Amino acid sequence: MTILVTGGTGKTGRRIAARLQTLGHAVRVGSRTGAPPFDWADRATWGPALDGAHAAYIAYYPDLAFPGALEDLRAFTEQAVEAGVARLVLLSGRGEALAEAGEQVVRESGVAWTIVRCGWFMQNFSEGYLLEPVRDGVIALPAGDVAEPFVDVDDIADVSVAALTEDGHAGMLYELTGPRLLTFADVAAELSKATGRDITYVPVTAGEYAAGAAAHGVPPGEIELLTMLFTEILDGRNAYVTDGVRAALGRPARDFTGFARDNAAVWVAGG
């Protein structure tokens, strides 16, 4: 019984794959370096990756809000069902109309499905495009004073593994957030407290953000996506918390303070 984890080397995918392997499940890591390789941009790789899989975790790259994502997701879902996949778990985003359209594709697949709809990842500060700015001591983003209930990727992984391996999660939409709202200024204060360093948040325009991201080596396509998400999604529409982690797992979501404390060494250059 093989489980395909697309995006298997990404923030959520690698955690999910590791948990599944620890539980004794056969895991196929869906990535360009996997065996067989899997690439969202190359549909010829989908069939071999799906062959023999009974469940699949779907993390679309670069994002469900990206042009062409819906068409890819529809084609992949149809191919997965034809290959015999009986359970689908989709990683989705809060407040994104195109992501919700993708959710509907999975709902209509004809097999068991679970939607894991998530807020902004805490790990964007420790593993992603915000790591170097935090190390530099300045988080410059076009986010104003909007609040966000940042969610821990480890919570996302735990919910996804439960949905892939346990009964009781089919047909469920779990909207995952952290337990409280934080502005980016609040985040900077939390990171400063955890590290003992002076880390500040500076609101900037979208153009200023794009230029700064490029200077930090963020790829152009990712800059375009992030700028779109900041300017179109981070407008206050998601400024509320949900109880999805507790609904799925019976425990509270992890708070940002614990995340910052546990990752403090990462924000020291070379840490």
Side-chain angles (χ1 to χ4, degrees):
M1 301 288 279
T2 300
I3 300 174
L4 171 64
V5 179
T6 68
T9 58
K11 290 186 186 70
T12 63
R14 73 172 185 273
R15 287 173 167 85
I16 291 168
R19 284 163 167 76
L20 291 171
Q21 290 165 344
T22 297
L23 291 171
H25 295 281
V27 179
R28 184 169 297 151
V29 176
S31 72
R32 289 190 291 270
T33 58
F38 176 87
D39 187 346
W40 280 111
D42 183 0
R43 295 190 181 188
T45 65
W46 299 358
L50 286 164
D51 185 35
H54 85 281
Y57 172 74
I58 305 174
Y60 184 81
Y61 180 83
D63 190 89
L64 286 174
F66 209 73
L70 189 61
E71 293 75 14
D72 281 346
L73 182 60
R74 183 175 289 112
F76 177 82
T77 299
E78 292 173 354
Q79 195 166 334
V81 173
E82 291 173 0
V85 173
R87 184 179 299 199
L88 298 171
V89 175
L90 175 69
L91 176 68
S92 185
R94 301 177 80 215
E96 300 178 20
L98 288 175
E100 292 185 17
E103 294 173 7
Q104 193 61 30
V105 168
V106 173
R107 290 173 185 265
E108 296 171 353
S109 64
V111 299
W113 57 266
T114 306
I115 307 297
V116 182
R117 185 191 290 169
C118 303
W120 288 77
F121 298 171
M122 294 180 188
Q123 277 75 6
N124 285 336
F125 296 98
S126 61
E127 302 174 18
Y129 57 95
L130 295 174
L131 171 58
E132 290 305 321
V134 174
R135 284 179 172 172
D136 291 344
V138 178
I139 305 171
L141 296 172
D145 60 356
V146 173
E148 171 71 18
F150 298 92
V151 62
D152 194 310
V153 173
D154 284 315
D155 283 344
I156 299 171
D158 287 344
V159 171
S160 299
V161 168
L164 286 165
T165 62
E166 300 173 1
D167 295 330
H169 301 286
M172 299 297 293
L173 165 61
Y174 294 121
E175 188 165 345
L176 308 185
T177 72
R180 61 190 171 111
L181 292 169
L182 298 121
T183 65
F184 283 88
D186 294 331
V187 166
E190 291 274 357
L191 297 176
S192 296
K193 181 179 179 181
T195 61
R197 300 177 54 222
D198 184 16
I199 299 169
T200 59
Y201 164 62
V202 178
V204 296
T205 67
E208 289 169 336
Y209 167 72
H216 276 96
V218 180
E222 190 171 345
I223 292 173
E224 178 184 358
L225 172 63
L226 291 169
T227 302
M228 182 270 290
L229 291 176
F230 274 113
T231 56
E232 296 184 17
I233 306 300
L234 198 68
D235 59 0
R237 72 184 68 180
N238 293 325
Y240 62 93
V241 300
T242 66
D243 208 21
V245 174
R246 187 181 294 278
L249 303 175
R251 64 163 178 80
R254 192 181 189 198
D255 188 70
F256 197 93
T257 298
F259 160 77
R261 180 188 61 242
D262 292 347
N263 289 275
V266 174
W267 296 301
V268 177

